Amino acid sequence: MSVFDVISERRSIRKYKNDPVPGETLRRILQAGLLAPSGANRQTWKFYVVQGKKRDEMVDVLKKALDNREKEGENVAGARHSFEIMAQAPVNVFVFRPNRKAPWLASTISQNFSDIVDIQSVGAAIENMLLEAHELGIGSLWVCDVFSACNEISAWLGEETELIASVCLGIANEHPAARKRKTLDEAVEWLS
């Protein structure tokens, strides 16, 4: 399968079978993430792989987070849907940025620039994992709603750095059609 085919055929999967992801397959997906380009080769990512019995603990942490956000008056409908998907995925990979202790607190132009570069690098690592998962027949979903539970997840994992996203992995139990995409004419300005 060509790289372009993998890119064009990959879909966000929101329904999973309960089958485990084979260990060697999971390691290859994670290795693909580690091979992503990163600004100044800082490789600003750390992955926590949650599966098996720890998945039940994760579900409890996510439920607690939703309860906390509701008590705080937040609308949690989107997060609730994402957390339901995470609860059924056999594997969840929490992606942290270990060189940043507190999120969204950049105060200098240099720190802002560094943050943007690091976030792009982490995004490249996540995309590499999604593409490798698809090539290996594993469904995936990039979840950003984990921000609704970042304090609870971080405390559960004993992690003090910035949570960026989560990636669900598992055998797909759906085959969604491609969503409408912008055309080249809509998204590209050609300068010659």
Side-chain angles (χ1 to χ4, degrees):
M1 187 179 294
S2 75
V3 173
F4 190 82
D5 288 342
V6 172
I7 292 168
S8 63
E9 292 176 11
R10 190 208 64 80
R11 301 286 180 269
S12 294
I13 300 300
R14 293 172 175 81
K15 294 179 183 177
Y16 298 91
K17 296 179 181 178
N18 201 30
D19 303 348
V21 176
E24 191 54 40
T25 300
L26 185 54
R27 281 187 284 282
R28 184 158 166 169
I29 292 167
L30 293 165
Q31 186 64 42
L34 297 177
L35 294 173
S38 70
N41 198 33
R42 286 193 301 268
Q43 302 175 54
T44 54
W45 44 66
K46 182 174 182 180
F47 307 134
Y48 285 87
V49 179
V50 179
Q51 57 187 340
K53 292 179 182 178
K54 287 294 184 181
R55 186 174 76 167
D56 294 337
E57 287 182 30
M58 178 199 73
V59 170
D60 290 340
V61 169
L62 297 176
K63 286 179 183 175
K64 178 182 174 187
L66 285 176
D67 290 345
N68 290 342
R69 298 303 83 76
E70 284 182 324
K71 289 176 188 171
E72 295 164 359
E74 289 186 29
N75 179 346
V76 297
R80 183 178 309 283
H81 179 65
S82 293
F83 293 177
E84 288 168 357
I85 296 166
M86 291 171 69
Q88 66 165 306
V91 177
N92 283 273
V93 180
F94 289 103
V95 183
F96 282 81
R97 184 166 63 128
N99 66 335
R100 190 78 153 106
K101 291 268 183 194
W104 310 297
L105 298 177
S107 58
T108 66
I109 291 173
S110 176
Q111 183 62 57
N112 282 326
F113 175 73
S114 181
D115 287 348
I116 290 168
V117 170
D118 289 348
I119 293 297
Q120 290 178 43
S121 300
V122 171
I126 293 170
E127 179 68 3
N128 275 11
M129 288 191 289
L130 301 178
L131 295 174
E132 184 63 16
H134 178 71
E135 182 182 36
L136 296 172
I138 301 297
S140 64
L141 180 67
W142 185 338
V143 180
C144 293
D145 283 332
V146 292
F147 295 131
S148 296
C150 65
N151 293 334
E152 292 83 359
I153 292 167
S154 295
W156 174 59
L157 295 172
E159 182 61 60
E160 296 180 358
T161 63
E162 187 176 36
L163 175 62
I164 301 297
S166 179
V167 176
C168 297
L169 297 167
I171 307 299
N173 200 17
E174 67 173 345
H175 301 284
R179 291 185 172 185
K180 185 178 182 332
R181 297 288 177 166
K182 290 182 178 181
T183 65
L184 283 174
D185 289 338
E186 293 170 318
V188 178
E189 287 289 329
W190 301 92
L191 305 174
S192 300

